[in-house]
Amino acid sequence: MAHSSEEEIQEVFKLFDQEGSGIKIKEIGTVLRSLGLASSEAQLREFATEAAQKDEAFVQFSDFLGFVKRAQTHEASKSVDFDKEMKGLHEGIKHFCDKLTQKQSRETNADMVKISDIKHLLSAVGDKMSEEELEEMSREMRGTCRIQDGRVSFDDFVRLLKV
């Protein structure tokens, strides 16, 4: 996420602060998500606890701005190597779903993976995707990726994710 300017942050804050008394503590996460920040539940609890020490119901802009800066810093620190993560996903699919040993996986270099395996992983692991999101992704795969016998080219799938 690109760092929002203080003016942009204040504009979003004001959308939630209709009465000028601040935003409700329980809305901290919603307002952060409106700025494109996905804070963990633990971080949101930390922010709520800090805010409640000043006011039991509302957060003022100056305090919220501090939360935004901390959330941005935290998010920047957890940036990932996308290509490395995708290689790991591909190896995992080949090992756990196709039941290939590491040696077989290295030797076969199979690019095609089962669409059903990808859908299962995305609906069951990490940030789980909803059924609607999975169906939309399946439509996009069918429209832009090489597919053969219920399998999709993993390289094409990765390109789809990057877009």
Side-chain angles (χ1 to χ4, degrees), residues 24-113:
K24 293 178 183 169
I25 290 176
K26 66 181 182 179
E27 291 181 331
I28 293 173
T30 304
V31 182
L32 287 172
R33 282 188 294 281
S34 297
L35 291 165
L37 294 165
S39 295
S40 68
E41 287 298 316
Q43 190 175 43
L44 292 176
R45 280 192 302 275
E46 182 182 316
F47 293 161
T49 301
E50 285 179 37
Q53 290 174 351
K54 290 188 175 186
D55 182 319
E56 59 188 48
F58 295 98
V59 179
Q60 299 307 312
F61 178 73
S62 59
D63 295 322
F64 180 75
L65 183 60
F67 298 154
V68 170
K69 299 296 183 197
R70 285 168 45 199
Q72 288 172 332
T73 301
H74 180 74
E75 200 157 282
S77 73
K78 65 178 187 178
S79 64
V80 296
D81 180 344
F82 182 78
D83 292 332
K84 183 178 175 185
E85 292 291 321
M86 289 299 103
K87 186 176 192 285
L89 176 64
H90 193 201
E91 290 301 315
I93 289 173
K94 290 192 294 187
H95 178 75
F96 291 107
C97 300
D98 289 342
K99 306 289 190 239
L100 298 179
T101 65
Q102 285 185 329
K103 182 179 179 191
Q104 289 171 320
S105 179
R106 281 192 308 271
E107 291 173 354
T108 59
N109 196 20
D111 177 51
M112 304 297 271
V113 295

Side-chain angles (χ1 to χ4, degrees), residues 12-23 27 58-60:
V12 171
F13 183 88
K14 285 181 180 177
L15 290 173
F16 288 86
D17 181 15
Q18 297 290 318
E19 297 170 13
S21 55
I23 62 168
E27 291 181 331
F58 295 98
V59 179
Q60 299 307 312

